[in-house]
Structures are given as structure tokens and as C-alpha cells.
Amino acid sequence: NAGVMQNPRHLVRRRGQEARLRCSPMKGHSHVYWYRQLPEEGLKFMVYLQKENIIDESGMPKERFSAEFPKEGPSILRIQQVVRGDSAAYFCASSPEGAREQYFGPGTRLTVT
Amino acid sequence: GDSVTQMEGPVTLSEEAFLTINCTYTATGYPSLFWYVQYPGEGLQLLLKATKADDKGSNKGFEATYRKETTSFHLEKGSVQVSDSAVYFCALSAPGGANSKLTFGKGITLSVRP
């Protein structure tokens, strides 16, 4: 069973551009979570989605950030008009129905120049 | 709100030394507790978990016991190896149901020298 897939692994964007991060959950997992890891810090929750629905977006910045998990295809985390402070590692995790543990992808490391 | 506190790091040990990494939490009710490990340049891997008081999670020689009375979930290993060098995160998920967000501690870097 393939693990959680994320792409790209590394993404470089200039200030003001858009960043689009993709996450394919493990087979059979319908719950997807996004976390951000800033240097020297732990992971901070951003958003939790189930197919076609946002369940919890309490950690998502109010502006420029959005997420979706369509019926078909990967989950997308979109950051519009990126700023230097958005530089971080973004991790996606997935879990099956009824589980408490989550399984993480390798992350996308975003660098804003 | 819920929170997880880990001991300050980094920690450097010699191979075969005993390891303890402290973790305490603040949450209402009975959260589930986890230890995750992150190797350089990689994502987090689930190391072990415990879902109720007095449960002991174990994996790859690591152990942690869910202590409700001290709200702790300390990670231990009797004899560390160089390959255990990584960042270790303690985390919890809120009680009351599955499929909820994880709250993480800041993580601690462990370096094991030969």
C-alpha cells in the first residue's frame, strides 16, 4: 500500500506568485489534514478535509490560503500572493474512517524568494 | 485549548545509553497520545500510540506509558543506536471521537554518537 504522496517535494516561488501543493492520501483513507512546520518549531494544524468538505479550518490563515479535497483527485493547498513568511515545510496526513492516528507524507518545502 | 509540552533539547547521547524524553499535556478528558519521529528531510512516522490511561505503547525498543495522574507520556528506550538520531514529536488528539486534528509539541532533536 503506497504511502501518502505529496508533490512537489520542493517548490520555489517569488513573492506575489501562487503556490499549489498536492496531496494524495493513502488508499482507503478519506480524511486529509494539512500542517505547516516552521524552522525550529513543531507542526501546526491548518485544515482538515473529508471528500468535498472542509471539516475544520481553525488553523488556516484568513487570507490567501485555501484548501480543497475534490471527489476525484488529490487534495490541494493553495497559497495566493506568497510572502517570505510563507516559507516552510507543508505536510499532508491522512487517516481512515474512525482512526485517531494519522499517516504523513514526505512534505513540500516551499521557499519564497 | 489543548497543548503539548516537550523537554528542551537538543539531546546528545552515546550509543547504548538510556533515553528518556519528557512529554506532558493539557487537555480535557482523555486524549489519545502519540510519539512521531522525523528523520532528516522526511515526513513524520508514527512511532507509538496510547489511547487510554495506563496504556503502554511500544515499537522498535521504544516505550511510553499514558499517565493520567501526571498528564505525561514520556518516551524511553533502554539502549539507543546511532540510527535513532532524529527529531521526536509528542502529540495528542482530542477526546470525544476519531478523525480530529493533532496537536504537537515543539519536538526534540536526538543525536546519538558512536
Side-chain angles (χ1 to χ4, degrees), chain A residues 32-51:
Chain A
V32 166
Y33 313 80
W34 286 93
Y35 295 84
R36 176 164 62 176
Q37 184 179 34
L38 294 169
E40 307 301 320
E41 293 189 19
L43 278 73
K44 302 293 186 186
F45 168 77
M46 300 181 74
V47 63
Y48 160 34
L49 310 102
Q50 201 175 358
K51 280 291 186 181

Side-chain angles (χ1 to χ4, degrees), chain A residues 35 48 95-96 98-102, chain B residues 32 36 41 49 94 97-100 102:
Chain A
Y35 295 84
Y48 160 34
S95 67
R100 292 184 177 273
E101 67 271 18
Q102 297 174 15
Chain B
S32 292
Y36 281 85
K49 68 178 181 180
N99 299 115
S100 62
L102 294 176

Side-chain angles (χ1 to χ4, degrees), chain B residues 56-95:
Chain B
K56 177 185 282 188
S58 61
N59 185 26
K60 300 181 180 178
F62 291 89
E63 292 183 341
T65 301
Y66 189 142
R67 301 284 188 203
K68 179 63 178 175
E69 62 277 12
T70 53
T71 61
S72 65
F73 193 54
H74 305 321
L75 183 68
E76 296 182 337
K77 187 175 185 183
S79 176
V80 294
Q81 305 300 312
V82 172
S83 57
D84 294 327
S85 299
V87 182
Y88 291 81
F89 292 96
C90 186
L92 67 80
S93 69

Side-chain angles (χ1 to χ4, degrees), chain B residues 8 12 22 26 28 43 55 59-60 86 96 100 103 107:
Chain B
E8 295 288 326
T12 301
N22 290 343
T26 301
T28 53
D55 264 3
N59 185 26
K60 300 181 180 178
S100 62
T103 299

Side-chain angles (χ1 to χ4, degrees), chain B residues 7-75:
Chain B
M7 60 185 278
E8 295 288 326
V11 172
T12 301
L13 295 173
S14 296
E15 203 165 27
E16 299 184 3
F18 183 84
L19 169 71
T20 299
I21 301 177
N22 290 343
C23 171
T24 58
Y25 67 89
T26 301
T28 53
Y30 289 82
S32 292
L33 301 172
F34 307 88
W35 277 100
Y36 281 85
V37 58
Q38 183 180 31
Y39 298 100
E42 298 184 11
L44 277 70
Q45 299 177 21
L46 177 64
L47 183 58
L48 52 83
K49 68 178 181 180
T51 57
K52 61 182 187 294
D54 299 324
D55 264 3
K56 177 185 282 188
S58 61
N59 185 26
K60 300 181 180 178
F62 291 89
E63 292 183 341
T65 301
Y66 189 142
R67 301 284 188 203
K68 179 63 178 175
E69 62 277 12
T70 53
T71 61
S72 65
F73 193 54
H74 305 321
L75 183 68

